[in-house]
Structure formats: structure tokens, C-alpha cells
Amino acid sequence: MRKDKQKVIGEPMTDEQIAAFLTARPYAGESVEQHILTRAYRGLRAHDFERFIEMFKQEGFDLDAPDAQGKSFLQTIRGHAQAEDYVDALERAR
């Protein structure tokens, strides 16, 4: 990082930045919903992820779409050590 650039952490995300995650598409063989949710989960803070879920649902995507093993995204992340806020957001959205 250049000395004239200041590191910015925690800046609020705009709706447009969050909505950009809705355009992610898998290569092949993966559920579109699972891919989009995974990308958003990895790239968004929990409070932004909660906003994202509402956009996701408004676009007609299915929160319960199964992956190749038949598990929903919620079932997949439920066991992750730091996913509690994300799990809570998904449960509230159902």
C-alpha cells in the first residue's frame, strides 16, 4: 500500500455494492443459489449479508436450494465456527 493511501476498514457498503453479489454465477454443476450465497457469505460482513438476503429473496432466488449433496446453505454453514450471525440472519429470513 502506498504511503499516501490510507487503509479503510468498516466503510458502509452501498446497496449497489451488495447487489453485485447477485450477479455471481457458478462454472458448472453447482446450484446458482448456493454459489451466490457462498460468495456473499465469504465477502460480506454479517449485517451486510442480512441486507443481501432480502435482495436475494426479492430476485426470486431460493434460500433452501440444495447443493449437490442435498444440503441447504443454512445446513452447510451451521457448523462453521464464526457463522452464528449469518445463521441467525438466514433463520430470520425464512
Side-chain angles (χ1 to χ4, degrees), residues 7-89:
K7 188 174 185 180
V8 178
I9 298 175
E11 285 291 313
M13 291 186 77
T14 66
D15 286 344
E16 292 79 21
Q17 289 171 314
I18 293 172
F21 284 90
L22 295 169
T23 63
R25 292 297 179 265
Y27 293 110
E30 184 181 13
S31 157
V32 172
E33 283 95 340
Q34 286 278 333
H35 182 77
I36 292 171
L37 286 167
T38 300
R39 294 282 306 268
Y41 170 66
R42 290 178 180 165
L44 296 172
R45 295 168 293 195
H47 64 275
D48 292 325
F49 184 75
E50 191 162 3
R51 290 171 49 202
F52 166 80
I53 290 171
E54 290 307 313
M55 295 175 188
F56 184 84
K57 288 176 24 180
Q58 287 174 358
E59 289 294 316
F61 291 116
D62 181 7
L63 282 174
D64 295 318
D67 63 10
Q69 291 76 40
K71 292 172 37 178
S72 72
F73 184 73
L74 178 58
Q75 291 170 318
T76 300
I77 69 165
R78 204 178 280 281
H80 294 183
Q82 298 188 12
E84 184 177 331
D85 292 337
Y86 296 87
V87 168
D88 290 346

